[in-house]
Amino acid sequence: MRYLPLTPDDRAEMLGVIGAATIDDLFRDVPEAARPADLFDLPLHAGELEVERELSALSAKNRAAGAGPFFLGAGAYKHHVPATVDHIIQRSEFLTSYTPYQPEIAQGTLQVLFEFQTQVAALTGLDVANASMYDGSTATAEAVMMAQRVTRREKAVLSGGLHPHYASTTQTIAHAEGMEIVRLPAAVDAEAAVIEAIDAETACVVVQTPNVFGVVTDVSKIAEAAHAAGALLIVVTTEAVSYGLMKSPGAMGADIAVAEGQSIGNALNFGGPYVGLFACREKLVRQMPGRLCGETVDAEGRRGYVLTLSTREQHIRREKATSNICTNSGLCALAFSIHLSLLGGAGLSQLARVNHSRARELRDALAGVAGVEVLTPRFFNELAIKTSVPAAQLADELAAEGILAGVPFSRLDPAGGMDDVLLVCATETNTSQDIAALAAALSRKLAR
């Protein structure tokens, strides 16, 4: 049966109350050119069987990540996710749960979020973490606005090694706050340029490690320069598995660490939903966006979990809120925590070492291909290579042969002037045969 909760009389009454003549009046702020004059050319209805066939045909046009050699990264990574993760998150108490407004009936959800926060704080080497953000890019933007509140300054310096999508997201969101965003030109190794750009007006410096080109950097010198100028250091990580091998952001002097947690427990999922990680030093906690779960005891001394800090506009007066985030990525955060719990500290470290080993094998194979120059001097599991033909053309040709060779940098930053740069990534899911197939295909294509 059709679900139409409002009758024509109901709609007329509602429009009368708000003083609108027609429903179209509600969209008067949308430019006329952006409003369709008629219905879209789509079927108005279809049976379940017909819809299933149509969607299956559309799905068949996609190439699954596991259908052949796969070397895509650039912020979304293909890792093995144990079947246990999917089994647990589909339990009804997790799959259908929402914001834990009533702690007395949401202890399981609150405990999971508390444990998630504990894991994120340990990984980032910082004092406190929140109960997740939407994804890594919006977490970066939130960190920049948090730095504005802490320092009362309006300028943010974005490293040339920051993922272009993260930089664009930050520019879009921070613009509404009146912030000045200084986005440095794309650079494989951007440390010196970042330090030079810091001045007395800088609220924060945003650096990524491993950066979008795969370069691993100890940002301790950048931290010293930022702190000497009274600015905060925000460290971004798009590949969470790297925490198992790299020095933590906190150990390098970060004041705020943000990351994309997709790599742990979450599949590629066509680009989402993902889960943003956010941690900071304890002295900054009251300016941290989102929500924070805490552990306490009830009147009888029994352990319990509550929302300790919720500075979102849903919980307090809008003008006092630090964020307008309407929810968190609770199910993805749960998947993250389950996978990380299964791995443990030793397992994460081992997984990270396998990733690095695969990337070293990939580097060695590609370095021997005529027409390829490896640009990344220090890496975790991702590399930037320079090719003798446009990278986008090369990637398309190899995709037609069943090899997803990597992400052309020009797709991330069309104006960056790096049309010959290809980002390639190897994880534990890549085999030696995959790497050999990529090297052979590149040799054949570049020998033309």
Side-chain angles (χ1 to χ4, degrees), residues 158-173:
L158 309 187
S159 166
L162 180 64
H163 193 297
H165 291 174
Y166 283 50
S168 295
T169 300
T170 300
Q171 285 179 303
T172 299
I173 296 177

Side-chain angles (χ1 to χ4, degrees), residues 424-440:
V424 294
C425 177
T427 72
E428 77 281 0
T429 64
N430 290 104
T431 65
S432 295
Q433 290 77 14
D434 292 338
I435 294 172
L438 175 61

Side-chain angles (χ1 to χ4, degrees), residues 173-231:
I173 296 177
H175 171 75
E177 295 293 322
M179 290 198 69
E180 177 191 357
I181 303 297
V182 178
R183 183 174 174 179
L184 301 179
V188 173
D189 203 343
E191 182 179 15
V194 169
I195 292 175
E196 186 177 348
I198 301 171
D199 60 23
E201 304 301 317
T202 303
C204 62
V205 181
V206 183
V207 297
Q208 179 180 326
T209 182
N211 71 15
V212 69
F213 299 101
V215 178
V216 173
T217 303
D218 185 335
V219 299
S220 300
K221 291 182 179 178
I222 300 177
E224 292 173 4
H227 295 156

Side-chain angles (χ1 to χ4, degrees), residues 71-404:
F71 296 92
L72 275 63
Y77 301 91
K78 182 176 182 286
H79 291 285
H80 171 68
V81 179
T84 307
V85 174
D86 191 52
H87 175 75
I88 294 178
I89 67 171
Q90 291 192 58
R91 289 181 60 92
S92 60
E93 62 266 39
F94 292 131
L95 191 61
T96 61
S97 63
Y98 186 56
T99 302
Y101 290 120
Q102 295 177 274
E104 66 274 14
I105 61 172
Q107 284 298 292
T109 298
L110 287 164
Q111 182 177 349
V112 164
L113 294 176
F114 180 83
E115 293 179 356
F116 168 82
Q117 292 170 178
T118 304
Q119 291 171 325
V120 173
L123 290 173
T124 58
L126 289 166
D127 303 318
V128 59
N130 69 13
S132 92
M133 310 290 276
Y134 290 136
D135 56 27
S137 63
T138 49
T140 302
E142 291 283 356
V144 168
M145 291 186 290
M146 175 177 166
Q148 178 195 38
R149 295 190 296 272
V150 171
T151 64
R152 301 183 185 278
R153 296 177 181 178
E154 307 294 332
K155 177 180 174 181
V157 175
L158 309 187
S159 166
L162 180 64
H163 193 297
H165 291 174
Y166 283 50
S168 295
T169 300
T170 300
Q171 285 179 303
T172 299
I173 296 177
H175 171 75
E177 295 293 322
M179 290 198 69
E180 177 191 357
I181 303 297
V182 178
R183 183 174 174 179
L184 301 179
V188 173
D189 203 343
E191 182 179 15
V194 169
I195 292 175
E196 186 177 348
I198 301 171
D199 60 23
E201 304 301 317
T202 303
C204 62
V205 181
V206 183
V207 297
Q208 179 180 326
T209 182
N211 71 15
V212 69
F213 299 101
V215 178
V216 173
T217 303
D218 185 335
V219 299
S220 300
K221 291 182 179 178
I222 300 177
E224 292 173 4
H227 295 156
L232 301 184
L233 176 65
I234 299 170
V235 174
V236 179
T237 305
T238 60
E239 168 55 292
V241 173
S242 67
Y243 285 137
L245 193 58
M246 288 173 47
K247 198 173 181 180
S248 72
M252 293 187 287
D255 300 289
I256 304 172
V258 297
E260 174 53 67
Q262 172 269 324
S263 290
I264 300 177
N266 291 273
L268 288 168
N269 294 333
F270 297 95
Y274 288 169
V275 55
L277 314 183
F278 195 111
C280 67
R281 300 202 179 278
E282 186 174 6
K283 66 181 181 180
L284 307 177
V285 67
R286 291 207 167 269
Q287 293 298 335
M288 185 169 64
R291 62 162 68 94
L292 187 71
C293 295
E295 181 181 303
T296 186
V297 293
D298 64 12
E300 298 179 7
R302 297 174 300 185
R303 182 175 61 179
Y305 299 92
V306 294
L307 286 180
T308 301
L309 185 63
S310 299
T311 52
R312 311 180 317 153
E313 49 83 17
Q314 278 185 299
H315 295 279
I316 63 176
R317 294 194 307 276
R318 185 176 299 274
E319 66 273 13
K320 295 292 185 181
T322 62
S323 171
N324 66 353
I325 287 178
C326 294
T327 186
N328 66 352
S329 299
L331 196 65
C332 298
L334 173 63
F336 177 98
S337 285
I338 294 168
H339 192 183
L340 193 56
S341 298
L342 290 170
L343 287 169
L348 179 63
S349 177
Q350 181 180 357
L351 176 61
R353 291 181 183 280
V354 171
N355 272 250
H356 183 55
S357 177
R358 290 283 188 272
R360 290 176 61 188
E361 183 180 351
L362 177 64
R363 187 270 315 272
D364 293 344
L366 298 185
V369 175
V372 169
E373 178 188 354
V374 177
L375 301 177
T376 307
R378 307 172 303 279
F379 56 88
F380 171 60
N381 67 359
E382 194 159 17
L383 307 162
I385 62 172
K386 185 176 182 179
T387 58
S388 56
V389 301
Q393 172 191 328
L394 191 61
D396 288 344
E397 290 180 2
L398 292 181
E401 298 182 8
I403 298 175
L404 298 181

